[in-house]
Amino acid sequence: MSQPSKPPVIDSSVPSSPRIWNFWMGGKDNYPVDKAVGEQGLAIDPDIGTMAKASRGFLIRAVAHLAREAGVRQFLDVGTGLPASENTHEVAQRIAPESRVVYVDNDPSVLRHAEALLQPVSAEGTVAYVDCDFHDPERIVEEARKTLDFGEPVAVMFMGVLGHARSYADMRRIVRTVTDAVPAGSYLILWDGTVDSKPYVALCEEYAKGSPDPYYPRTQAEISACFEGLEFVEPGFGKIADWRPDPAAEKRPEVAAYGGVARKP
């Protein structure tokens, strides 16, 4: 499996999307430049931090459901970002210790943390890392095959990353290439922010002015189209906070983040 062969070069003077997201989630794996951009983002869209935290809750619930209820034992997390609490392998291997998880990212900051990601939480489990741009889904599949058995179901995950696709058509191509490669009985877990929120759109537009890696918010219909040909798991496509919410939660966050979980027939 592709793993960092030498420490990656990190430019702490240039903001990084994963590090900014880490700041919004309340993490500490970021630099002053990321915090500055993150604070500017909060001034434009005060709900972006809430969205970041809600997305982690969705990941936890979706992975736990597939591991516990659907018997999935393989997860391909594309665009994983920086480690946070309750990463995919931690959730899956706590329920099914033999679970195999492959993370995919190409950000130098994420690569620096690859060693932490590569530590299974169970003796039976496997965690591997692919250093690859998600615009090259063919290579992602090729590398993931070295760890995952593509003859058995795989849960493919795109968690709030597809806005980095260069176009709507490119977004569909990326998702379709990976989901076409996995067998029947596999699943797609996917979410993203949408144009429903004007502050979120304004935030993305402002970020694009100074970033080489802009983020393009899309409509609910465009995100939902990524599930074409798949069968939604109840409750279907909708706000991620409403996807099998924790009954003990006092209040669901109101953020314009939509997605779902669907099975490949």
Side-chain angles (χ1 to χ4, degrees):
M1 177 56 58
S2 294
Q3 300 176 12
S5 58
K6 60 181 180 179
V9 177
I10 298 176
D11 187 348
S12 61
S13 68
V14 178
S16 157
S17 292
R19 298 198 308 259
I20 296 169
W21 193 255
N22 176 268
F23 169 75
W24 286 332
M25 287 189 68
K28 298 180 179 179
D29 295 316
N30 48 76
Y31 294 104
V33 66
D34 307 303
K35 182 178 180 181
V37 174
E39 289 177 337
Q40 291 171 6
L42 286 169
I44 298 171
D45 182 6
D47 289 332
I48 191 62
T50 303
M51 180 187 289
K53 296 177 179 66
S55 72
R56 181 56 47 148
F58 173 58
L59 181 152
I60 294 168
R61 298 192 305 276
V63 170
H65 170 76
L66 294 187
R68 183 180 294 114
E69 308 298 333
V72 175
R73 298 294 180 263
Q74 302 188 113
F75 296 83
L76 177 55
D77 189 340
V78 183
T80 178
L82 286 164
S85 61
E86 296 294 275
N87 297 290
T88 298
H89 73 285
E90 294 169 326
V91 177
Q93 291 176 356
R94 186 166 56 243
I95 296 168
E98 71 275 25
S99 295
R100 287 179 281 181
V101 178
V102 172
Y103 291 109
V104 180
D105 211 301
N106 72 328
D107 185 276
S109 297
V110 178
L111 296 179
R112 177 70 64 86
H113 289 81
E115 288 186 2
L117 284 174
L118 286 166
Q119 300 302 316
V121 296
S122 63
E124 308 95 322
T126 301
V127 181
Y129 194 94
V130 174
D131 174 10
C132 184
D133 188 328
F134 87 155
H135 289 93
D136 188 359
E138 291 84 2
R139 180 165 173 262
I140 290 174
V141 170
E142 177 185 356
E143 293 292 334
R145 286 184 186 276
K146 298 176 182 179
T147 298
L148 306 179
D149 179 359
F150 275 48
E152 297 293 330
V154 178
V156 177
M157 304 168 62
F158 291 95
M159 308 300 284
V161 298
L162 288 170
H164 286 303
R166 302 181 186 99
S167 66
Y168 168 63
D170 202 35
M171 177 181 74
R172 293 291 305 277
R173 175 190 67 84
I174 292 166
V175 175
R176 185 169 55 249
T177 298
V178 182
T179 54
D180 282 353
V182 297
S186 294
Y187 288 82
L188 173 63
I189 310 175
L190 184 153
W191 80 270
D192 229 308
T194 67
V195 297
D196 298 64
S197 168
K198 292 182 179 179
Y200 178 68
V201 172
L203 168 61
C204 292
E205 290 175 345
E206 184 64 26
Y207 179 69
K209 294 178 182 178
S211 171
D213 193 22
Y215 207 88
Y216 304 102
R218 296 187 169 91
T219 67
Q220 290 185 46
E222 288 173 330
I223 296 172
S224 180
C226 291
F227 294 95
E228 184 178 358
L230 307 179
E231 300 170 344
F232 276 115
V233 173
E234 290 295 333
F237 182 83
K239 289 186 175 181
I240 58 174
D242 295 335
W243 198 91
R244 298 176 180 257
D246 182 353
E250 295 182 1
K251 184 179 181 181
R252 299 179 197 174
E254 285 294 327
V255 291
Y258 290 79
V261 179
R263 181 180 183 274
K264 183 175 180 178

